[in-house]
Amino acid sequence: VQLQASGGGLVQDGDSLRLSCAASGGTFSDYVMGWFRQAPGKEREFVATITRGGGSTVYEDSVKGRFTISRDNAKKTVYLQMKTLKPEDTAVYYCAAEPTAYVRKMFREARDYSYWGQGTQVTVSS
């Protein structure tokens, strides 16, 4: 599967953005999807993950209540709705995919994902 992330940009503290990640190739509904981010000088960190059918999600603590991951399997797209953005959310955001036979499976570790998008820059100014 190939992944194409989009939707990043420069916003103000407290603004919202929605990131999209469009998949091509493969059967999208076979994949657990995740979002990660990497700030300058820091390691890539987990943001959110969602099961194949979209029924369950997990978030990193600092984004709980502000970010929402969702997916539209018919459109082969996963989204990350980000609200109340903060300067510390500034990073390159990556989407990732991993096939699984388990409908309840989710992955929080970058090493568990085989497929990655190219990243989209999110910059939050104070």
Side-chain angles (χ1 to χ4, degrees), residues 3-120:
L3 303 174
Q4 180 74 36
S6 62
L10 172 63
V11 297
Q12 301 274 344
D13 190 351
D15 282 352
S16 299
L17 269 180
R18 187 176 81 157
L19 305 183
S20 299
C21 175
S24 59
T27 301
F28 186 66
S29 58
D30 287 345
Y31 292 81
V32 171
M33 299 300 297
W35 284 99
F36 290 76
R37 64 187 179 185
Q38 188 166 17
K42 295 187 177 181
E43 293 187 354
R44 191 169 299 190
E45 67 171 359
F46 168 75
V47 175
T49 182
I50 189 167
T51 51
R52 287 170 41 182
S56 295
T57 57
V58 172
Y59 297 92
E60 193 271 329
D61 285 348
S62 70
V63 307
K64 284 181 182 177
R66 299 190 298 122
F67 290 12
T68 303
I69 186 172
S70 62
R71 65 191 295 163
D72 185 332
N73 284 349
K75 295 183 178 179
K76 296 187 175 184
T77 302
V78 63
Y79 304 98
L80 187 68
Q81 177 68 54
M82 305 184 292
K83 298 181 179 179
T84 319
L85 282 161
K86 306 175 182 180
E88 51 264 43
D89 294 318
T90 295
V92 177
Y93 283 71
Y94 299 89
C95 56
E98 178 65 20
T100 179
Y102 301 100
V103 296
R104 297 180 180 179
K105 195 70 175 178
M106 288 179 283
F107 301 106
R108 296 183 58 128
E109 300 293 332
R111 63 175 179 263
D112 291 328
Y113 289 88
S114 300
Y115 302 95
W116 291 84
Q118 86 289 0
T120 184

